[in-house]
Amino acid sequence: MEKKEGSYPYDRGGQTVIVNQSEGKRSNGLGTAGFVLALLGLIFSWMPGLGWVLWLLGLIFSFVGIFRVPRGLAIAGLVMSCIALIILIVVAGAIGSLIAAM
């Protein structure tokens, strides 16, 4: 048996099989957490204490999640945090004007 250059000793002339493996789905945990907290902050924005805490946590997590890939939920969380901030300011102003009227 004559050995060819570059072949293995047990080479039988079969096909070469190439397996392409995908990298898998990438996720952004901080962006997802920021989105969920911003959504809860938007839902509970009428409650002064809980709304502020959820809004702040959603804003922080979404902002940090912007710097990681994928960015979709982090951007959505940041936008919802901005909307929740507007609602929180309006609610705080309404409560302040009620207190001042008394």
Side-chain angles (χ1 to χ4, degrees), residues 61-73:
F61 284 141
S62 295
F63 183 74
V64 173
I66 289 286
F67 299 105
R68 297 186 180 189
V69 176
R71 293 184 173 99
L73 286 176

Side-chain angles (χ1 to χ4, degrees), residues 44-98:
F44 293 111
S45 60
W46 58 274
M47 296 176 67
L50 183 62
W52 284 102
V53 171
L54 290 173
W55 166 78
L56 184 62
L57 289 173
L59 180 70
I60 291 170
F61 284 141
S62 295
F63 183 74
V64 173
I66 289 286
F67 299 105
R68 297 186 180 189
V69 176
R71 293 184 173 99
L73 286 176
I75 293 171
L78 203 58
V79 169
M80 278 196 293
S81 292
C82 292
I83 294 170
L85 176 64
I86 293 169
I87 294 172
L88 288 170
I89 290 172
V90 169
V91 168
I95 291 172
S97 66
L98 284 175

Side-chain angles (χ1 to χ4, degrees), residues 1-33:
M1 184 168 169
E2 198 175 299
K3 187 174 179 184
K4 294 180 184 176
E5 202 173 305
S7 67
Y8 294 102
Y10 301 107
D11 188 16
R12 296 188 178 135
Q15 289 181 329
T16 303
V17 178
I18 299 173
V19 178
N20 291 328
Q21 293 181 349
S22 64
E23 294 180 13
K25 285 191 169 185
R26 297 184 66 170
S27 64
N28 185 352
L30 286 173
T32 304

Side-chain angles (χ1 to χ4, degrees), residues 30-47:
L30 286 173
T32 304
F35 173 76
V36 170
L37 288 170
L39 181 63
L40 289 173
L42 189 61
I43 291 171
F44 293 111
S45 60
W46 58 274
M47 296 176 67

